[in-house]
Amino acid sequence: MKTPPVCNYEGSDYQQSFWDEGGRQYEDLAEAAALRQLLPPSGNLMLELGAGAGRNTLRYKGYRQVVVLDYSKTQLEQAKARLGSGAEYIYVAADIYRLPFKNGLFDGATMIRTLHHMREPELALSRIERTLAPGAVFILEYANKLNLKSIGRYFLGKQRWSPFSHEQVEFVELNFDFHPAHIRQIVSKLGLKVAETRTVSHFRIGFLKRVFPARFLAAVDGFIQPTGNLWQLTPSVFLRLEKSGEQSEAREGLLQPLDIFACPDCGGALTGENELLRCSACDKAWSAKDGIYDFRQPV
């Protein structure tokens, strides 16, 4: 099954170079503030899409289990080293366009700093919607083309593309900015309700980050994030999306991986076989080594 290209962070030290040593403590804290307000206090099964090295995973501690998903196995190895190998975390290497999960499974999901790598956002989001249980909450972050810096550059003639047009723009290969109206149109078409919008990273300016402490900027950012319900002019926008239906009740115990997975190619049930998971329908096999389930290519 042919799918759009994937931005692969295999072999990257993204967590260290971009977050830990990249001067982005303010952005990290501002995103944490948004998540505190948007996430339900508790839940059963969370799907974290584009989890990277697990920067945000501990922020989902209200959920009994978290499926930590990224395309890069390197990133998942780093996440596993950070989080541990307990049954509350299930590490999955997979393509978001080809998710290896049963339908209607997750009562929570997040996708942060990941949609901007999706050339076909509607296809990616439709794949995610299929995995959500009735009443599920999905926290979606996207890179906003209608931000103040982009608007200023456009009027000064330093930027060719218009921040006001609704189509997405690819400013670097497999890096996209989206117009808020475009994203709202997609999620509405998929039947997901926008329950809340928060604008994040109001102060993503080098001068301000050098002058003011990161925690101060993040605190102010958190205070004004709810203005996102009125307008969206920041580089990052968070949506709390809700799927219609009744939420599932709290569950006793943890699910086993075979209770969660389905073949990403045909949707068939999987069975365990040594370090392989095999599809009972199409007979394809998928690697399950070192605590990471790899659904990128059959073995």
Side-chain angles (χ1 to χ4, degrees):
M1 179 173 56
K2 187 175 181 180
T3 56
V6 173
C7 187
N8 189 359
Y9 281 72
E10 193 69 31
S12 168
D13 65 345
Y14 177 73
Q15 175 64 40
Q16 179 179 351
S17 60
F18 187 85
W19 288 106
D20 298 341
E21 300 173 359
R24 290 178 173 85
Q25 184 186 13
Y26 153 64
E27 287 88 343
D28 180 58
L29 292 171
E31 292 181 6
L35 285 170
R36 280 196 300 271
Q37 297 302 316
L38 294 173
L39 277 172
S42 62
N44 290 320
L45 186 63
M46 161 71 72
L47 172 59
E48 183 183 14
L49 298 133
R55 175 177 66 95
N56 280 313
T57 311
L58 290 174
R59 293 166 178 163
Y60 311 138
K61 58 186 177 182
Y63 284 80
R64 289 176 176 271
Q65 273 180 298
V66 181
V67 173
V68 183
L69 183 144
D70 201 273
Y71 191 80
S72 164
K73 194 172 181 181
T74 301
Q75 295 297 302
L76 291 171
E77 289 167 349
Q78 294 173 19
K80 189 167 176 281
R82 174 194 295 255
L83 302 167
S85 55
E88 68 271 28
Y89 298 117
I90 300 173
Y91 301 96
V92 179
D95 183 348
I96 290 175
Y97 295 114
R98 297 173 58 252
L99 291 174
F101 305 117
K102 296 178 180 179
N103 292 343
L105 190 65
F106 298 95
D107 59 326
T110 66
M111 186 160 72
I112 298 168
R113 289 182 177 256
T114 301
L115 188 68
H116 71 275
H117 291 312
M118 301 289 158
R119 178 164 289 164
E120 297 188 26
E122 184 171 349
L123 178 60
L125 292 173
S126 71
R127 297 291 191 260
I128 298 165
E129 188 277 335
R130 176 183 61 80
T131 72
L132 299 178
V137 172
F138 175 24
I139 310 302
L140 172 66
E141 184 272 347
Y142 65 89
N144 177 23
K145 69 183 292 189
L146 189 66
N147 64 75
L148 289 176
K149 180 179 179 181
S150 174
I151 293 171
R153 287 178 56 84
Y154 178 68
F155 283 123
L156 290 172
K158 296 182 178 182
Q159 173 180 295
R160 289 186 177 183
W161 53 267
S162 169
F164 304 105
S165 61
H166 285 195
E167 70 272 7
Q168 65 200 49
V169 59
E170 187 174 18
F171 58 93
V172 177
E173 185 179 6
L174 287 182
N175 284 263
F176 300 90
D177 283 350
F178 302 96
H179 193 284
H182 181 202
I183 299 300
R184 288 195 298 268
Q185 180 184 39
I186 291 174
V187 298
S188 176
K189 184 177 178 180
L190 295 174
L192 297 170
K193 175 188 174 184
V194 179
E196 187 174 353
T197 303
R198 295 181 78 91
T199 43
V200 177
S201 290
H202 292 78
F203 310 115
R204 193 184 291 178
I205 302 170
F207 169 75
L208 292 177
K209 293 200 295 181
R210 288 192 296 271
V211 172
F212 297 100
R215 292 191 178 277
F216 171 78
L217 289 178
V220 178
D221 197 279
F223 181 75
I224 60 179
Q225 285 176 5
T227 60
N229 289 308
L230 302 174
W231 53 76
Q232 301 88 44
L233 296 170
T234 54
S236 177
V237 177
F238 277 62
L239 302 177
R240 175 181 164 126
L241 304 174
E242 297 177 354
K243 186 169 180 175
S244 61
E246 293 293 326
Q247 290 185 336
S248 58
E249 297 180 356
R251 186 182 62 241
E252 293 292 334
L254 302 178
L255 291 177
Q256 297 301 311
L258 290 177
D259 299 325
I260 295 172
F261 294 131
C263 177
D265 283 355
C266 75
L270 301 181
T271 58
E273 186 178 301
N274 297 324
E275 293 185 333
L276 295 177
L277 297 181
R278 188 171 296 278
C279 178
S280 58
C282 69
D283 203 41
K284 290 181 179 177
W286 310 90
S287 172
K289 292 182 179 179
D290 303 320
I292 297 175
Y293 298 88
D294 191 345
F295 291 97
R296 295 172 298 180
Q297 297 290 336
V299 296

